Amino acid sequence: MKTRTLFTGFLLGVLGLFSCGDNKTTTQTTLNATTEMQTIDLNNLLYTTPTINDALPDFVEKTDTCAFFHEDEWRQVEFISKNQRELIDKEVEKIKDIVENQSVKGESQVGYKSVAVRDLITQPLSVEFSKLTSYLTTKPIMLHGLGFDNNPGQVKGGFYFNLNGVNYYGVLDNNQVKVLGIYSAESEQDLKTATGKLSELLAEEKLYLVDWRAMRVFDETNIKTELVK
């Protein structure tokens, strides 16, 4: 499944454009145009994102029609219970340290010498699926499975759906949503239009929407004015 991606201060670098992961090797030998051997010190290469989530979800054999994205996008923009605000703040501080002290600015983009691995919030939320989606729409939702690029399986309990141009994904366990994120939007206006319903969801279920890379925490009030400016 293909999806258009919204590049704003809110959704940065999605659709698997980057593949930094959290692994580095030390050197790599390549051939230039004249087949002359060159050795590159990979320690001088930079990460393209300041943060990734610690753990990936479980996978099962692929049986559904799936939407796919790169594993580095896992839980980059996600909903988190308000009772975990202290942990959110601690993770933001880790990312802030990377951005302020480990970033290297190039002509067209910023790279990072290190990456903040988020490992404090293992269960972002727990909300019954139909209750959660009732805040977003009264119409039936077409669900797809969820997969990662270069992985033959699909996420166990994973789901993906589009509502009015905004693409959501998450993980279900016994009809309880344990992970819920926004992957992308088809236009800035679609995202802006969704803020009213998202505000209701945040207020009623006592949630934040956190954009980790931008280090932004949205509640039911500021999401209406700051999610899309």
Side-chain angles (χ1 to χ4, degrees), residues 186-202:
E186 295 176 5
S187 74
E188 191 170 301
Q189 184 58 47
D190 289 334
L191 191 60
K192 187 174 183 178
T193 300
T195 57
K197 294 183 180 298
L198 291 174
S199 175
E200 182 182 359
L201 169 61
L202 299 183

Side-chain angles (χ1 to χ4, degrees), residues 79-161:
F79 296 84
I80 300 177
S81 299
K82 287 184 176 178
N83 60 13
Q84 302 194 71
R85 181 59 194 250
E86 182 177 351
L87 298 179
I88 293 172
D89 291 341
K90 288 181 178 179
E91 294 287 26
V92 168
E93 283 301 310
K94 289 161 58 175
I95 302 167
K96 184 178 179 181
D97 177 67
I98 296 296
V99 171
E100 292 183 350
N101 301 307
Q102 299 290 327
S103 62
V104 178
K105 293 184 179 180
E107 293 183 2
S108 60
Q109 63 183 4
V110 178
Y112 305 92
K113 297 178 182 178
S114 187
V115 62
V117 179
R118 306 189 308 275
D119 56 5
L120 299 179
I121 302 173
T122 57
Q123 183 175 309
L125 75 165
S126 183
V127 182
E128 196 270 327
F129 180 75
S130 61
K131 183 180 181 182
L132 186 149
T133 55
S134 69
Y135 297 108
L136 303 176
T137 184
T138 58
K139 298 179 180 180
I141 294 175
M142 179 178 293
L143 289 180
H144 300 276
L146 182 64
F148 287 177
D149 294 337
N150 302 316
N151 188 303
Q154 67 183 69
V155 175
K156 182 180 180 181
F159 63 87
Y160 175 99
F161 61 89

